[in-house]
Amino acid sequence: MTTMLLDRVAAYAEAVRSHLADLGPEIADELTDGLEADLAEELADRSIDGAETADDTVLLDLARVFGPAGEYALELRSAAGHAPVPSARRLRRTPVRDAARSTWRLWEAWGRRLVARVAALPGGGWLVETVPLLRPVWWLVRGWVWFVLLMVLTGGTLGAGRLAPFAPDSFVAWALLIAAAVVSIEHGRGRWAERRRIGGLLVAGQALAVLAVVPLAAAAWTSATQAHYYPVYASAGSDPVAAPQDGVVVGGMYVSNLFVYDAQGNPLHDVQIVDDRGRPVRTVTDGSDSVWSLPGVADPWQFAPVVDASGRDRWNVYPLSGAPAGEWTWDAASGAPVLVPGASLQQPPAPFGAAEALVGTGVGGSVAAAPPGGADGTVPDAPSATGSQAASEAPATPSEPTAPSGAPAQSPSPSGP
Amino acid sequence: MDTTQLLKGVLDVAVLAVVAREDGYGYDVVRRLRAGGLEEVGEASVYGTLRRLYSSGALTSYVVPSDEGPHRKYYGINAQGRTMLAAQRKDWDAFSHAMTGLLAEGDQR
């Protein structure tokens, strides 16, 4: 059989296929798979008979051999058990429908030409045979695209977790994803090809999926790669306590300073505080340039560490001393905060000069409040004492805030209340 | 008598019987049906019937590539198809026996 005849056969098969287009590409392909070979062989048979093909021009118009392609298609589809005659409504033409159909045919023809050209390349045959096997993969991808679009359309009501809208993280979202995948697979297998209304919806869904798959995949990729950097407590919003950071929190807010009183209620100075593992407890965590509002003080304050005997900054020596922020500047050379000339470190105002005294500490382990007289605001022999003296004078208390011997090299002058 | 109408009802069993003897591709089945006496059978009807029987699970199918031209799609019968064929053969025997009897009676009057 000549190439020209094969081309004719292919054109006739194509015409038959176009009359089956309403069944969907998969069913149309299934119905016409191998049709070219059958037509070609029948044609060869008939030309041997010589009856109908005496004249070569007849062969150029295969419709005169096999009948009009539309009738051929009708016979094929009705024998295959598909709706034999498209309903009147189906045939109703509108400019939009016509335009869509002719565009689709144009693309389809272009696609078939492309496939034929690829098949002719070395290894192209393998490609052309293999790619259709990957169809189910596309069905799954399409299901996922529909899922994401539905998640977006529902505006996060179906799940708004960290993975949304690209991956399910709720029961409803999982159900939706599975449903979308099943619908896509069933559509791929031609399940609703003859249900016009559903079919139209699914064709629109297909077009949408083709358009959306690349941008959505790109967005999902970005989301997936950035997900690692999301803090775990992001949902806690601006609540500072939710973020586990260093610092001392009382009543939900960070405190700038700690004031320590002995059993008699006297203020202690230069008290080192560590946690149960011996780690320094720091209120000021990010260096000395953070500025704190103090209760009842107009200017915010900035604090300074105590420098120990080995010259190391110690931030867990309380109460921290500092100065109003206006008295601080930056050292031109090191960039470290320094006091302006004439200013000196002071202890910030204490909440009260003396705390309530305790009695009975260390006796039977019970602690009781002192009689009112001990806590009336008087300061018994306190503020002039240095931290270490105060600590050594203090009786044994549950917290034992004694300063070690190698203690603070810099003792800020205690300021009385 | 319009034999195409008659053919419609029996094409399934005819195609099953032909394929049960030997696997065949579309036009091969048409040729064997015509050789068997069903001259009027339409190719497209046979192809459509093959597709439908395949979809319903009565036939298997495989593609044989051709060096010279387009590939051929072969069909073969499977267990379900054989069961279907046996049942339809029985139905046909009963039906044709009844028809033969009816037509014979009509002749005698």
Side-chain angles (χ1 to χ4, degrees):
Chain A
M1 177 156 289
T2 65
T3 316
M4 189 192 71
L5 268 181
L6 278 180
D7 282 351
R8 289 277 139 192
V9 164
Y12 186 81
E14 192 56 46
V16 171
R17 215 168 264 135
S18 74
H19 283 94
L20 302 169
D22 61 293
L23 296 178
E26 272 136 33
I27 289 187
D29 284 351
E30 160 67 22
L31 282 180
T32 54
D33 190 17
L35 183 62
E36 281 93 341
D38 289 332
L39 290 172
E41 191 166 344
E42 182 166 7
L43 209 54
D45 256 15
R46 293 198 189 193
S47 47
I48 289 166
D49 294 346
E52 293 163 57
T53 56
D55 168 0
D56 269 359
T57 56
V58 172
L59 284 179
L60 293 180
D61 184 7
L62 293 191
R64 286 171 65 180
V65 182
F66 300 117
E71 280 177 26
Y72 196 95
L74 198 60
E75 191 179 337
L76 188 61
R77 69 194 289 159
S78 69
H82 296 289
V85 185
S87 71
R89 197 168 56 80
R90 231 180 255 185
L91 288 175
R92 198 173 58 207
R93 296 169 56 150
T94 67
V96 174
R97 219 170 267 178
D98 279 356
R101 193 156 296 173
S102 60
T103 308
W104 171 251
R105 286 213 184 124
L106 211 65
W107 283 13
E108 212 178 22
W110 179 81
R112 281 184 197 283
R113 272 204 302 278
L114 184 72
V115 167
R117 207 161 288 174
V118 169
L121 297 173
W126 175 86
L127 199 66
V128 167
E129 274 182 25
T130 308
V131 168
L133 300 179
L134 299 177
R135 238 178 221 173
V137 176
W138 163 244
W139 298 344
L140 283 177
V141 171
R142 182 173 61 186
W144 172 77
V145 171
W146 289 349
F147 160 76
V148 175
L149 292 176
L150 283 172
M151 289 287 279
V152 172
L153 282 179
T154 52
T157 51
L158 298 179
R162 197 159 55 88
L163 302 174
F166 301 111
D169 49 9
S170 70
F171 176 77
V172 181
W174 270 109
L176 186 69
L177 177 60
I178 291 169
V182 168
V183 168
S184 177
I185 289 168
E186 288 297 298
H187 173 44
R189 296 170 71 189
R191 167 95 175 234
W192 297 288
E194 289 165 46
R195 301 277 296 275
R196 200 63 188 164
R197 196 158 291 214
I198 303 177
L201 196 68
L202 289 170
V203 167
Q206 162 89 332
L208 204 61
V210 169
L211 291 177
V213 65
V214 171
L216 284 186
W221 176 261
T222 311
S223 161
T225 48
Q226 285 182 350
H228 301 295
Y229 307 117
Y230 277 35
V232 193
Y233 39 81
S235 59
S238 58
D239 182 1
V241 182
Q245 298 172 353
D246 277 349
V248 177
V249 173
V250 175
M253 60 184 286
Y254 283 104
V255 298
S256 65
N257 217 336
L258 298 175
F259 294 86
V260 188
Y261 297 86
D262 68 12
Q264 274 73 46
N266 303 319
L268 299 179
H269 300 277
D270 296 324
V271 177
Q272 302 185 80
I273 298 189
V274 295
D275 71 357
D276 55 350
R277 290 162 198 228
R279 297 172 300 193
V281 171
R282 297 175 49 170
T283 54
V284 178
T285 57
D286 51 354
S288 57
D289 57 348
S290 59
V291 173
W292 297 80
S293 300
L294 305 184
V297 178
D299 289 336
W301 271 55
Q302 199 168 323
F303 295 98
V306 171
V307 181
D308 70 11
S310 57
R312 187 178 291 141
D313 282 355
R314 302 281 293 271
W315 284 96
N316 64 327
V317 180
Y318 295 97
L320 290 171
S321 52
E327 294 179 8
W328 289 90
T329 181
W330 281 272
D331 183 65
S334 66
V338 290
L339 288 170
V340 296
S344 61
L345 290 175
Q346 321 152 37
Q347 191 190 299
F352 30 77
E356 259 187 321
L358 311 173
V359 293
T361 54
V363 181
S366 65
V367 174
D376 59 358
T378 57
V379 185
D381 68 331
S384 61
T386 66
S388 54
Q389 284 166 340
S392 59
E393 280 165 18
T397 64
S399 55
E400 292 255 5
T402 47
S405 53
Q410 177 201 1
S411 281
S413 55
S415 59
Chain B
M1 182 178 277
D2 183 1
T3 51
T4 56
Q5 287 301 317
L6 285 179
L7 208 49
K8 268 186 187 166
V10 295
L11 193 53
D12 278 22
V13 66
V15 166
L16 277 175
V18 164
V19 176
R21 272 177 218 163
E22 194 184 347
D23 290 3
Y25 53 91
Y27 185 62
D28 176 48
V29 173
V30 172
R31 201 188 270 146
R32 279 149 68 187
L33 286 169
R34 285 183 179 156
L38 301 180
E39 308 276 354
E40 300 294 311
V41 74
E43 312 94 57
S45 302
V46 175
Y47 304 156
T49 303
L50 283 167
R51 269 34 160 207
R52 182 165 42 77
L53 289 171
Y54 168 70
S55 297
S56 67
L59 297 180
T60 57
S61 160
Y62 51 93
V63 166
V64 176
S66 156
D67 293 338
E68 295 158 7
H71 65 260
R72 284 192 175 131
K73 193 168 190 180
Y74 272 75
Y75 292 91
I77 198 159
N78 60 17
Q80 191 184 329
R82 285 184 200 287
T83 314
M84 194 188 278
L85 176 60
Q88 293 190 4
R89 190 179 271 139
K90 216 167 137 189
D91 290 347
W92 173 257
D93 283 346
F95 181 77
S96 65
H97 185 73
M99 281 304 294
T100 308
L102 281 171
L103 296 178
E105 277 171 28
D107 234 11
Q108 285 170 351
R109 292 222 171 140

